[in-house]
Each structure stands twice: as structure tokens, then as C-alpha cells.
Amino acid sequence: MHLPPDTTLCEGESLTITPTVVDSLYALENDTRSYLWNTGDTTPTITVTQPGSYWVRVTIDGEFSAWSDTITVSYISDFTTTALPHPDTICEGLSAQLAVQVPAGVPGITTVWSTGDTAYAITVQEPGTYTAYTFNQCFAHTDTFRLYTRFCWDKEQPFTTLYIPNAFTPNGDGRNDCFEVVGDNLGSYQIQVFSRWGELVYQSDDISQCWDGTHRGRPVPDGVYLYVIRHTDRHGNPMPIRRGEIRLYR
């Protein structure tokens, strides 16, 4: 006779335990069996909802011998997570740590962030919504973080300034023939210009260079083009990304 193997359940689940007599000599069709469980039950099966060790003694046809076995039932309890305090808004270019606190002693807990990270804490710079999914084989919990960024000005570090024209006429008349950006107090600088279909038609890391309206040595058509400018101040602090449209006329 034997009971099922030791079992682990999720909190709130129940288990019905039934002994099995494996020796056919004692498993006759009309035999008489008596059961005694350590719970005091005398039924062939019991249903349990609490952790612990459960044993049964089975006597068949009044035999002098009895058979017994024990099963241990364990439970995994539900758990709670806590989103640790964090800044809602940070200065652009800085970072913030987002973290969840999980209880100690609960087995098999895993945290996966919407970024793909699997640590309990992550460091982020970009604004947006970040979600931490914490789970084990029984339960799952979600914590959501919202992070904003803003431009921060240090009075000891002067603003960068950019002058960005909104149109130019590369027709060779010597006037306004180039798309030229002018700036003050700059550190690094990069400009990219895209066609309306998303093709990169111009790129430069030198603000003293301007775009003459060509791509691979050929004039591009009249129309609206999109620019993206990334730059830092002279101390290396990232400035807000500038995006806009430039109109090309010939």
C-alpha cells in the first residue's frame, strides 16, 4: 500500500489523498478494509487544505498486519510586492533607479521588467512607463512605474542656443544656398536630415558644415525634409533633442 508522492500546492488549493494497495494478494474484489488516518478520519480518502504530514493505516479483512504510509503536503503562500519610492521626474541626461521589494523566504520568485531585465532594481534614463512582473509557480503581481524627464538649467552652465532656419534655396544664386545651423555654447553636435519616406539624405557632426541640398552628389527634389539634432552643452550635458521640418525650394 502506498500514498501519492509528497506534493506542493498553491495556497487555496485542496488535495484528495487516496491510498493504493499494490499487492493483488490483498486487493480482492470483496475484501473488507479499514482505514485510520492521523486526522482521525476512517474514510478511504481524505481531502486536505493545510500543510503537514498525513499518514494512514490500512487493515484488510481483519489481518493481523496493517500497512501504513505517509505523504507530506506543502503549500506556497501568496506574496506581496512593494514598489520602492522613486522620483517621478528627473533631469534629462540623468538616471533613476526603479525597484520592487519582494518578501524573503518565498521560494521561486522571479522579476521580469518590461525592459527585459530580470533584477529587482533597474536604472533608466528615458521617460516612459516601466512595468515589473513578479511571479512564482503559483502567483503573479505587477508594479508599474511612470517616469518623466525635464530640461534642467544650471545657472553656472549657460544655455546652448541653436538657430535653425525653416527653408533654404540651393539654386546657386549665392543666397541661402545651404541649410546651415548656428549655435552657441555647444559641445558635441550631430544633425541628420531625412526625406519624407525616412531615407537619410544628410548627416554631419560638424556644425560648421551645412547641407547643400544634395544626396550622394545629386540634387534632391523640392519638398519638406525632416531634421533631428542631438547636441550637448560645452560641459557635455545632453540637451533636448531638436526635431523639425526644413523646406527646400529651388
Side-chain angles (χ1 to χ4, degrees):
M1 187 276 298
H2 66 81
L3 292 176
D6 294 346
T7 302
T8 298
L9 302 175
C10 300
E11 180 182 343
E13 294 181 338
S14 62
L15 176 68
T16 298
I17 306 173
T18 302
T20 301
V21 177
V22 296
D23 189 343
S24 60
L25 177 63
Y26 302 105
L28 301 177
E29 182 178 356
N30 297 316
D31 62 13
T32 300
R33 305 179 187 182
S34 61
Y35 300 84
L36 178 61
W37 298 84
N38 63 332
T39 59
D41 293 286
T42 56
T43 53
T45 64
I46 61 170
T47 299
V48 300
T49 58
Q50 298 296 324
S53 293
Y54 298 89
W55 59 258
V56 63
R57 185 172 65 185
V58 180
T59 303
I60 300 177
D61 286 331
E63 293 285 340
F64 293 107
S65 298
W67 294 266
S68 63
D69 195 12
T70 300
I71 178 176
T72 298
V73 179
S74 303
Y75 275 85
I76 296 177
S77 300
D78 196 2
F79 61 91
T80 58
T81 60
T82 302
L84 297 182
H86 68 284
D88 294 326
T89 304
I90 60 174
C91 295
E92 291 178 343
L94 299 183
S95 60
Q97 186 178 75
L98 310 179
V100 292
Q101 186 177 54
V102 300
V106 180
I109 290 182
T110 299
T111 295
V112 177
W113 292 81
S114 51
T115 60
D117 294 286
T118 56
Y120 291 138
I122 61 173
T123 300
V124 296
Q125 284 186 306
E126 296 298 322
T129 300
Y130 297 87
T131 304
Y133 306 93
T134 304
F135 58 91
N136 60 15
Q137 68 187 71
C138 290
F139 303 99
H141 296 277
T142 300
D143 293 283
T144 301
F145 302 77
R146 180 68 185 173
L147 185 68
Y148 301 89
T149 59
R150 63 183 177 88
F151 175 71
C152 300
W153 176 53
D154 185 341
K155 64 182 179 181
E156 297 180 356
Q157 299 178 358
F159 277 115
T160 62
T161 56
L162 289 177
Y163 169 71
I164 307 171
N166 56 20
F168 72 116
T169 57
N171 54 16
D173 65 358
R175 295 183 301 174
N176 201 27
D177 282 332
C178 221
F179 174 40
E180 182 178 14
V181 178
V182 179
D184 294 319
N185 298 314
L186 297 182
S188 63
Y189 167 87
Q190 182 195 64
I191 184 172
Q192 294 175 305
V193 180
F194 299 88
S195 72
R196 60 180 177 176
W197 296 281
E199 180 184 11
L200 179 65
V201 297
Y202 175 73
Q203 177 173 295
S204 177
D205 297 328
D206 186 353
I207 197 170
S208 67
Q209 300 295 319
C210 63
W211 181 40
D212 62 1
T214 64
H215 177 48
R216 296 178 179 174
R218 295 178 177 271
V220 300
D222 287 18
V224 175
Y225 293 81
L226 307 177
Y227 64 80
V228 178
I229 297 175
R230 296 176 174 85
H231 67 295
T232 65
D233 66 16
R234 63 186 182 185
H235 299 282
N237 299 306
M239 296 292 104
I241 296 175
R242 302 287 295 273
R243 295 180 172 88
E245 296 181 349
I246 179 71
R247 179 79 191 194
L248 187 154
Y249 300 94
R250 293 195 185 277

